[in-house]
Structures are given as structure tokens and as C-alpha cells.
Amino acid sequence: ILTILGNSAVLATAVKRSSLLKSPELLTVNLAVADIGMAISMYPLAIASAWNHAWLGGDASCVYYALMGFLFGVCSMMTLCAMAVIRFLVTNSSKSNSNKITKNTVRVLITFIWLYSLLWAILPLVGWGYYGPEPFGISCTIAWSKFHNSSNGFSFILSMFLLCTVLPALTIVACYLGIAWKVHKAYQEIQNIDRIPNAAKLEKKLTLMAVLISVGFLSSWTPYAAGSFWSIFNSSDSLQPIVTLLPCLFAKSSTAYNPFIYYIFSKTFRREIKQLQCCCGWQVHFFSTNNSAENPVSMMWSG
């Protein structure tokens, strides 16, 4: 519910501000699409299976669930990687060069991200890698435990781990470390903190927001990645079901964090959210667009 409502709000504000969106913000929209796609295509089936205490459907639904998870997961990871690279380029470029990152450039990048994610998602369907149930039995993913004695499966896992996890994660870390160093040097050159330009303060806030989004995603998926990697070299029976279940649930929670981060760090997003009329009957009316604390706000139940 949090994922769908939060990311729907992100998409609604993006549509409302479509003419004002900057090029890098298209990646934020793409991340919201991936998160809400995962929630709609996967979570209802997993919740129903949890209530049933067993996986609902047969092999076809299991493959479908695993494919959707792999597709949207890789898409989110590569989108975060692209966000980090673009923020690094913008931070370390002059204003004239940063304007060269156009919307068309970002659209091409987003298209590549989806094609790249789709390629990895369909590879197990054509014989490189496998999809199968999770050890706790109410979810499906890459069949990690089948790779013990399979060179074909192990090569898939190794390639996927390097190209879809390690390299993007290292790129994200390197880019934000580079940005942090650049910002640190810039602030050192300014003796009086009151003279720091508003543009520099905004850049720092945007960078912090992007860092938190990446940290939220990586920290959510790290326990699941560790447990999955353990299953490659050891029997999944060596882990209690609860030990394999909790990292999976924690990983799925990554789709709900981003809207809250946007709400905390973006005044524009907060303003747009407050102006949206929710279909459940709540309406928030602003008598003035002034940000003064004295402005009256009227909330009324119209249901």
C-alpha cells in the first residue's frame, strides 16, 4: 500500500509538472515506475501465497513472479547507477556543459536500462540460469541452490553478480565519493558560510537526497544478496526459513522508501502533494501559495 500510494504520488506530481521536469528528474520517474511495477505485478501474489502458507499456482506463476522481480530489480539498480553518474557529471561540469544532458539523452539512457534489464530477466528462460521457489516456499526468484553442480548456472550467477550488482554498486559509491570531495573542497574555499550560493546549497541537498535513495536500496537488498550467495555454496536447508524470509521481505520494502525521502528533501514535492486532491475524499486547500507559516490551511472531509 505504501509503495503504490507513495510512488503514484510521485508519478502524479511528475505528470503535473511535466513541462518543468529537468532531465535528471526523468530517472526519478523511471525509478518510481519500476517500484510501482514491482508492487503491482508481484506483491499481491506473494501476499496471497503467504496467507495460503504455500505458493499459489504452478511453475508458470513461479517463473512469472521471479522474472518480474529480476526485471524490476535490475532496472532499479541500473537507474540508481545512472542517477549517480549524471549527478557526478553535473556536479563536476561547468553550467554550460551540464546543460548538454538533455531529456532526449536521458530517454535514450532509460530505454537502454529497460532493454538491459529485460535481457538479464529472459536469460534464465532460454537456458542460462534458472528460476525457482525460495527456500521458505511462498516466493520465487533465481534458483540459487541449483547452481551447486552446474557450471552453466554458476557462470550466470557470477556474470549477473558482477554486471548487475558489484559494478553498479561500486560506480554509485565512487560517484558519490567524488561528489562529496568536490563539495568539501568548494566549501573550504568559502570562508564565510553566509556567502555560500543558494545553487551550491541546492546541489548539496539534491546530492544528499540521491545518496539516501541509493543507501536505502543497497542496504535493503544487501542481506538478501548475502543469503542468496550463501545458498550458492551451501545447502539452503542449513538456514532456518525465517532467516531466508526476513531478508526477502526487507528487500521488497525498498520500493516504499523513496517517496518519503522526496517528501523530506523536496519543497516542490511537498507542495505538489499538499495540492493533490486524494480520491479517498480528503482535500487540502491552500488559500495562498506563500510559504509563510501564518497561512491558514483547511482540511475537510468530503466523504
Side-chain angles (χ1 to χ4, degrees), residues 80-93:
L80 291 173
C81 182
M83 289 172 64
V85 172
I86 289 181
R87 179 123 312 272
F88 178 80
L89 294 177
V90 170
T91 304
N92 290 273
S93 302

Side-chain angles (χ1 to χ4, degrees), residues 62 132-142 144 224 228 244 248 252:
C62 186
E134 298 268 18
F136 50 86
I138 56 172
S139 179
C140 293
T141 184
I142 297 171
W144 307 97
Y224 180 76
S228 299
T244 57
C248 183
K252 287 180 171 63

Side-chain angles (χ1 to χ4, degrees), residues 101-122:
I101 303 177
T102 63
K103 285 187 177 181
N104 285 335
T105 301
V106 177
R107 289 189 185 103
V108 171
L109 180 60
I110 290 174
T111 301
F112 171 78
I113 289 172
W114 280 103
L115 291 176
Y116 184 82
S117 305
L118 182 61
L119 173 64
W120 280 101
I122 64 176

Side-chain angles (χ1 to χ4, degrees), residues 209-223:
M209 182 175 71
V211 168
L212 288 177
I213 292 171
S214 299
V215 168
F217 183 86
L218 293 176
S219 60
S220 298
W221 281 92
T222 297

Side-chain angles (χ1 to χ4, degrees), residues 216-251:
F217 183 86
L218 293 176
S219 60
S220 298
W221 281 92
T222 297
Y224 180 76
S228 299
F229 218 64
W230 171 272
S231 299
I232 298 175
F233 302 101
N234 302 275
S235 173
S236 57
D237 297 334
S238 61
L239 296 175
Q240 294 294 325
I242 192 68
V243 177
T244 57
L245 172 62
L246 290 180
C248 183
L249 295 177
F250 190 43

Side-chain angles (χ1 to χ4, degrees), residues 193-214:
I193 194 170
D194 294 331
R195 294 183 178 179
I196 297 176
N198 289 332
K201 294 179 181 178
L202 177 61
E203 190 68 31
K204 183 178 180 180
K205 180 181 290 188
L206 290 175
T207 300
L208 179 59
M209 182 175 71
V211 168
L212 288 177
I213 292 171
S214 299

Side-chain angles (χ1 to χ4, degrees), residues 57-78:
D59 293 339
S61 63
C62 186
V63 169
Y64 158 78
Y65 184 94
L67 186 145
M68 290 294 106
F70 200 13
L71 171 64
F72 291 120
V74 174
C75 180
S76 297
M77 186 64 169
M78 300 310 297

